[in-house]
Amino acid sequence: MSRIDAKFAELRAAGRKAFVAYVMGGDPDYETSLQIVKGMPAAGVDVIELGVPFTDPMADGPTIQLAGQRALAGGQTLRKTLDMVRALREEDDTTPVVLMGYYNPIYSLGVDNFLAAATEAGVDGLIIVDLPPEEDDELCIPAQKAGLNFVRLATPTTDDKRLPKVLENTSGFVYYVSITGITGAAVAQATEVGPEVARIKAATDLPVIVGFGIKTPEAAEAIASVADGSVVGSAIVEKIASGQSVPDVLAFVESLAAGAHRA
């Protein structure tokens, strides 16, 4: 059982929904980013999504793109992002960490080298937004063999014909993208998300977590009420971008987590 499976089993047993938080590794700099990541479990974060900066982030809106640019300008790399996970594991061996990003940095490092380094560092799962199911042999299957969950995105355009293919090799949880388009661009609506989550849950036993367009504790609660949990990324990254202190960023994260946990 992976850390992700164990966390969702624990949440299910407690009758609680999950709160998943995203930050870009190395934004605004390595040390500040690491402090935020280390503070997340105490702030109520159930799963940490750690972004790997990339020069051409096609699925990301301006907020996440700028975070990636700041991280890259500060010298952040895939290996340094793994170092952050390793540092977290020195004091937290239970909170799941999912790396989120694009295939190019992994391809450049080499899949075997990456998987060995990721498992050694304590990574639990991967969300690679530009690898469709048709390319599962590239990374998804090797990652699963290495003991990492491969989390797949489903979207409003994932119809009933496409859904089985998307779910085929997915593990850990399904990440439902509540809106079409790029990150941070619109506001998620629980009335629209609920039926889509139900449709996906009818096809899989995996938890379905909803992200994109969730910016407030109230929205985190509303979305979690119709899913197995909610994800917030851009709204947290905006706090970091505005220069807020680590305690202030974590206080905002804690308010979002409390919202999701009320659901």
Side-chain angles (χ1 to χ4, degrees), residues 24-114:
M24 177 66 72
D27 175 39
D29 56 69
Y30 182 91
E31 283 304 324
T32 304
S33 184
L34 180 58
Q35 288 179 46
I36 292 169
V37 168
K38 283 185 171 183
M40 281 186 161
V45 175
D46 297 302
V47 180
I48 297 169
E49 278 183 15
L50 188 56
V52 179
F54 179 50
T55 52
D56 187 23
M58 61 185 181
D60 295 317
T63 299
I64 304 295
Q65 284 193 25
L66 289 169
Q69 290 172 17
R70 289 191 297 270
L72 290 169
Q76 188 75 1
T77 63
L78 175 55
R79 286 193 182 277
K80 282 191 173 183
T81 308
L82 294 176
D83 287 343
M84 292 179 69
V85 181
R86 200 173 288 112
L88 173 70
R89 289 287 171 240
E90 291 174 2
E91 53 193 62
D92 184 316
D93 196 41
T94 57
T95 303
V97 176
V98 177
L99 293 188
M100 186 169 187
Y102 298 82
Y103 184 45
N104 185 275
I106 294 169
Y107 179 80
S108 298
L109 186 60
V111 168
D112 291 344
N113 291 336
F114 166 73

Side-chain angles (χ1 to χ4, degrees), residues 143-155:
Q144 305 235 24
K145 287 179 179 175
L148 296 176
N149 289 128
F150 202 87
V151 177
R152 190 80 69 192
L153 302 174
T155 74

